[in-house]
Amino acid sequence: MSKSADGKTAGRPVKAPTIALALGGGGARGLSHILMLEVFDELGIKPKLIAGTSIGAIFGAAYASGLSAAEIRAITEDALRQRFDIVRQLFLARSDPVQKMLGLVPRRSSLLKPEALLELVMPSRLAKDFAQLDIPLRVVASDFFTQEQVVFSRGALLPAIAASMALPVIFSPVLSGEHVLMDGGLVNPLPFDLVMGEADVTVAIDVSGAKRVPEDKSTPGAIEAIVASSQILQHSIVREKLKWLQPHIYINVAVDAFHVLDFRKLDRILEAAQPAKDALRQKLKRVLGAETLAAVAAPVAAALPQPEASVKRGRKRRLGRS
């Protein structure tokens, strides 16, 4: 390979390739996103753009607000270990006086309001508006009536995150103008398609899981069955999307053993996600060390399933996209 006058290999990019990051939804399984963000900090790189769904939107917003992965990890540990009991009590609270006092539980249902929960657990340093973010962010929600995805990229940040995480049965829908919004995982649980082509490399972190081996064979309760059904849907959507569109780097985090509501198993989830963290680090190092951008995609994405069918892209509605 030829060298230039200054001794550098010809064809090597002057600058490191830009990276777009997609963080998927998956409930408690998405706690593993913390380790993926740690890789970016450890390598001293920042995504050019982030897209997130549900818990992916939560961690994406925190990281895009300028918090380091270490800070996000500490805040998450504090929120889950010290505030989880408060949240659990709010969810179980059914007496009208408690509901009136706290304003967190709708009077005619047992659902939590996602906006109120976020105000309780999110860090004070979280940006209030998309315009205040250090890294551009796109947040995915589902429109109940049109059955299409809605993508937020500007305006107030907290309502967008609340809409993206509003899993039916657990959270009440979020109203935004004429839209009634719910969990973005119902339409786009791994939104790497929203950032494809806007950076040199697209990285997708999938925490939707696969079939799980239960610790016992007991029949799931009603709420558990409904929540798990949503996760089955999300996993199926991701598998089908990968048949026709593939990111440059795809990381499938092995958190199948955990339920989407296993938030108290933070340490075990992070331990299970460690191999995925190592894999992401290795693949990003390969990307950063590539001599040409053309050499980036092929070796990294080779392990992905090949397209089996031609699928047309569905229509999508975006709020706040210029």
Side-chain angles (χ1 to χ4, degrees):
M1 184 174 290
S2 63
K3 293 186 177 181
S4 60
D6 60 4
K8 294 183 179 180
T9 303
R12 183 183 295 275
V14 177
K15 296 182 180 179
T18 57
I19 298 174
L21 175 63
L23 301 175
R29 295 168 172 173
L31 295 171
S32 54
H33 285 318
I34 295 171
L35 297 191
M36 310 302 120
L37 296 175
E38 288 179 353
V39 173
F40 281 85
D41 284 354
E42 291 165 3
L43 295 179
I45 57 178
K46 291 291 183 183
K48 175 184 177 182
L49 176 66
I50 300 175
T53 296
S54 195
I55 194 167
I58 294 175
F59 285 123
Y63 199 63
S65 294
L67 278 75
S68 69
E71 290 173 320
I72 293 173
R73 183 169 186 160
I75 292 169
T76 302
E77 290 173 345
D78 176 70
L80 293 180
R81 290 173 180 164
Q82 297 187 29
R83 304 179 190 177
F84 185 88
D85 286 339
I86 298 176
V87 175
R88 180 176 58 83
Q89 291 171 18
L90 292 175
F91 181 68
L92 295 176
R94 294 178 181 272
S95 64
D96 194 57
V98 171
Q99 294 178 16
K100 288 182 179 180
M101 177 180 66
L102 296 176
L104 288 169
V105 183
R107 295 184 60 182
R108 289 179 292 178
S109 74
S110 61
L111 301 181
L112 285 171
K113 291 182 178 178
E115 303 99 316
L117 179 59
L118 287 174
E119 290 175 356
L120 179 67
V121 301
M122 292 299 283
S124 58
R125 288 175 52 195
L126 184 77
K128 305 302 181 184
D129 193 279
F130 279 88
Q132 299 173 349
L133 295 170
D134 294 344
I135 301 172
L137 175 70
R138 294 173 187 170
V139 173
V140 182
S142 302
D143 189 303
F144 176 77
F145 291 108
T146 66
Q147 301 180 27
E148 297 176 342
Q149 73 175 359
V150 175
V151 181
F152 291 90
S153 62
R154 65 184 180 186
L157 184 59
L158 200 65
I161 302 172
S164 185
M165 63 173 280
L167 182 66
V169 178
I170 302 299
F171 296 108
S172 56
V174 174
L175 303 181
S176 177
E178 61 183 17
H179 302 276
V180 177
L181 304 174
M182 302 186 301
D183 183 14
L186 298 174
V187 290
N188 197 349
L190 185 58
F192 61 86
D193 56 306
L194 299 183
V195 296
M196 290 283 287
E198 299 197 34
D200 298 321
V201 177
T202 300
V203 176
I205 310 299
D206 184 3
V207 295
S208 63
K211 61 181 180 181
R212 53 190 293 253
V213 179
E215 297 179 355
D216 60 71
K217 299 294 184 178
S218 59
T219 302
I223 292 182
E224 181 183 2
I226 294 175
V227 173
S229 296
S230 173
Q231 204 61 33
I232 293 171
L233 170 66
Q234 294 186 35
H235 176 70
S236 298
I237 292 173
V238 172
R239 298 281 75 73
E240 289 302 309
K241 187 161 73 169
L242 287 172
K243 293 179 180 179
W244 60 275
L245 184 65
Q246 298 174 1
H248 299 101
I249 296 178
Y250 168 74
I251 301 295
N252 186 6
V253 188
V255 284
D256 314 332
F258 302 98
H259 189 275
V260 294
L261 299 179
D262 281 340
F263 285 97
R264 298 198 100 173
K265 298 180 180 179
L266 172 64
D267 292 337
R268 290 175 56 188
I269 291 173
L270 295 184
E271 181 181 1
Q274 185 61 47
K277 176 183 179 180
D278 296 338
L280 177 60
R281 182 190 294 109
Q282 179 182 7
K283 292 182 178 183
L284 282 177
K285 282 184 175 180
R286 185 186 305 171
V287 165
L288 296 174
E291 295 184 350
T292 65
L293 291 178
V296 169
V300 176
L304 286 174
Q306 295 302 308
E308 297 178 4
S310 175
V311 182
K312 294 183 179 180
R313 297 193 187 194
R315 291 168 43 211
K316 53 184 175 243
R317 305 180 65 184
R318 299 191 178 188
L319 297 186
R321 283 298 304 276
S322 56

